[in-house]
Amino acid sequence: MFTLNLIPSSPLSFSKSNHQYYPINRIQNPFSFTHSPVFLNKSTPLSSKVCNFNKTHGYPLGKIQALSTKTTPKPGSHVPKAAALSEPNPEGEAESVEAAEAKSKAKTLQLALVFGFWYFQNIVFNIYNKKALNVFPFPWLLASFQLFAGSIWMLVLWSLKLQPCPKITKPFIVALLGPALFHTIGHISACVSFSKVAVSFTHVIKSSEPVFSVVFSSFLGDTYPLKVWLSIVPIVLGCSLAAVTEVSFNIQGLWGALISNVGFVLRNIYSKKSLQSFKEVNGLNLYGWISIISLFYLFPVAVLVEGSQWVQGYHNAIQTVGKSSTFYTWVMLSGIFYHLYNQSSYQALDEISPLTFSVGNTMKRIVVIVSTILVFRNPVRPLNALGSGIAILGTFLYSQATAKKKSSAGEKKS
């Protein structure tokens, strides 16, 4: 009978193992081994060698240490993955925070660029569109050219594969006929208004578009909360005050802006109903095909309405400007930037939430109004400025109220 002294020099306490196997039970029958365990071999000098439990059952000693103590394992020892993952990694957390901050800064920069291009392109369009209309007062031809420029732009993008071309089918074209018709009405009416009154006045009246949207949508069965209905009150009051006090007031300019609102509202409503089966087409491609179809709608009518006056009007425009190249530049810029600012608006809508887009659109209208007043030096009466401010404030409140309505509807669906 001898005494088994495994670790005589240092006492070691073991916590109770939760594993289903226990080392002692595995050696109850030493005769079942082909070779006797080292620590049961009498010939082994036990006093001079400590038994290595690291290899018992293939389980490392680190597992027992993890259960009983938080001692850091020596280099080269095996550490279980669960224990390694449980330890905090300050360096990894710092890197993730830095990556998140860099991503947030990049997103902010991208958003600033999108809004900047959107505002800049809209300002350029309004300025050169008005310059061209001042010397060539034929909005039907100019509106047709702007649609033509947008159509050529999209065809170039599709042919060079810079923009994926949507699959064209007969149902898709039929579904676009209605939205394109209302888009044509909205576009030509706005151009007529621009030719008759100041750009700032047209934009103030066009800020009343939410009123028509709520009214028409309500007739079609949509319901709106009280906040939405209250938000359109300052829009109506502000537009009315601005119209009464407008220096360059013209009844055709007023009706043109109002009809433009009706056209664009019906385009939006009709698009939701007729294009439900074509959600795979992105906004830019959709707008491109609407522009192409609108061009076929508008140009034949433009020839009938004012085609007989174009030649004489062209000569008068060249005589007024002095250089034909200047007139060509104005027309070209109005056509190109008309499409570009619409393209940027679709890209902005893809990148940001509808609420942010609505706020940005409201601010865009303010920027355009102020810019055109400074460029064309239009006289503005105090009451006119007050009415414009009230109308734009109402537009902002409307965008806030409708965005909350959409978010609550989305939460109910989810």
Side-chain angles (χ1 to χ4, degrees):
M1 188 78 181
F2 60 92
T3 302
L4 179 64
N5 186 8
L6 299 178
I7 308 176
S9 59
S10 60
L12 177 64
S13 61
F14 293 89
S15 61
K16 183 178 179 180
S17 176
N18 293 327
H19 201 275
Q20 61 179 343
Y21 299 113
Y22 298 92
I24 302 299
N25 292 339
R26 294 293 299 269
I27 59 174
Q28 284 180 351
N29 187 8
F31 301 102
S32 62
F33 291 96
T34 305
H35 302 285
S36 298
V38 176
F39 55 83
L40 292 180
N41 192 344
K42 291 184 180 181
S43 62
T44 304
L46 298 175
S47 59
S48 63
K49 186 180 290 186
V50 179
C51 177
N52 187 5
F53 276 89
N54 293 350
K55 298 180 180 179
T56 307
H57 285 291
Y59 293 108
L61 184 59
K63 184 171 183 177
I64 303 176
Q65 288 177 335
L67 296 173
S68 60
T69 180
K70 294 184 180 180
T71 306
T72 304
K74 295 180 181 181
S77 63
H78 300 282
V79 181
K81 293 183 180 179
L85 292 175
S86 64
E87 295 181 0
N89 187 2
E91 295 181 359
E93 293 178 358
E95 291 178 358
S96 62
V97 171
E98 292 178 358
E101 292 178 353
K103 186 176 181 180
S104 177
K105 290 180 180 179
K107 187 71 175 178
T108 303
L109 178 61
Q110 181 184 8
L111 187 61
L113 291 175
V114 169
F115 272 102
F117 280 119
W118 184 22
Y119 288 10
F120 172 74
Q121 291 160 357
N122 206 302
I123 292 171
V124 172
F125 160 72
N126 281 278
I127 290 174
Y128 286 100
N129 182 61
K130 183 61 176 176
K131 281 179 175 288
L133 287 171
N134 284 340
V135 299
F136 187 76
F138 300 99
W140 289 81
L141 178 59
L142 195 60
S144 299
F145 175 77
Q146 290 162 358
L147 293 174
F148 173 75
S151 301
I152 296 298
W153 185 278
M154 291 304 301
L155 290 174
V156 170
L157 293 182
W158 289 331
S159 61
L160 297 179
K161 297 183 179 180
L162 298 176
Q163 175 72 16
C165 183
K167 184 179 180 180
I168 307 304
T169 60
K170 183 178 179 181
F172 178 64
I173 298 298
V174 172
L176 285 176
L177 294 178
L181 175 62
F182 292 122
H183 178 79
T184 306
I185 295 172
H187 179 48
I188 182 56
S189 300
C191 283
V192 170
S193 179
F194 285 136
S195 67
K196 300 297 182 182
V197 296
V199 177
S200 56
F201 178 68
T202 300
H203 278 281
V204 171
I205 301 303
K206 282 179 66 65
S207 67
S208 64
E209 184 175 321
V211 178
F212 296 92
S213 179
V214 172
V215 172
F216 281 108
S217 298
S218 298
F219 278 124
L220 295 176
D222 290 348
T223 57
Y224 290 91
L226 181 61
K227 290 182 179 180
V228 175
W229 287 100
L230 293 177
S231 67
I232 68 176
V233 174
I235 299 177
V236 175
L237 295 178
C239 288
S240 301
L241 182 59
V244 171
T245 58
E246 174 61 33
V247 176
S248 64
F249 179 80
N250 180 284
I251 191 64
Q252 290 182 339
L254 174 63
W255 276 107
L258 293 176
I259 294 173
S260 176
N261 287 339
V262 174
F264 286 129
V265 166
L266 291 178
R267 178 199 64 181
N268 297 337
I269 294 174
Y270 202 92
S271 296
K272 293 179 182 178
K273 296 183 178 297
S274 64
L275 297 172
Q276 287 293 327
S277 302
F278 306 97
K279 293 183 178 180
E280 70 278 1
V281 182
N282 61 24
L284 182 56
N285 284 334
L286 188 63
Y287 175 73
W289 276 106
I290 286 178
S291 297
I292 294 173
I293 298 175
S294 296
L295 176 61
F296 287 99
Y297 277 136
L298 183 59
F299 186 70
V301 181
V303 174
L304 295 176
V305 172
E306 58 185 22
S308 60
Q309 308 174 54
W310 287 345
V311 176
Q312 185 61 40
Y314 168 76
H315 290 296
N316 294 338
I318 299 301
Q319 185 177 2
T320 302
V321 176
K323 292 183 179 180
S324 59
S325 59
T326 302
F327 175 68
Y328 296 153
T329 301
W330 291 353
V331 174
M332 289 293 295
L333 289 176
S334 72
I336 293 173
F337 280 91
Y338 171 75
H339 178 81
L340 287 180
Y341 95 77
N342 280 287
Q343 175 178 315
S344 295
S345 67
Y346 279 103
Q347 291 174 337
L349 188 58
D350 289 338
E351 296 292 335
I352 60 180
S353 65
L355 176 58
T356 306
F357 179 83
S358 299
V359 174
N361 194 36
T362 304
M363 296 302 298
K364 178 212 70 177
R365 202 172 294 280
I366 296 174
V367 171
V368 170
I369 290 173
V370 173
S371 300
T372 54
I373 289 175
L374 294 176
V375 171
F376 296 106
R377 302 181 183 275
N378 298 323
V380 180
R381 297 172 180 173
L383 287 178
N384 183 266
L386 178 62
S388 302
I390 294 174
I392 293 173
L393 175 62
T395 304
F396 174 76
L397 295 176
Y398 169 82
S399 66
Q400 298 282 319
T402 52
K404 291 180 180 178
K405 175 180 178 291
K406 291 177 182 178
S407 61
S408 62
E411 291 176 357
K412 291 181 179 179
K413 288 181 181 180
S414 59

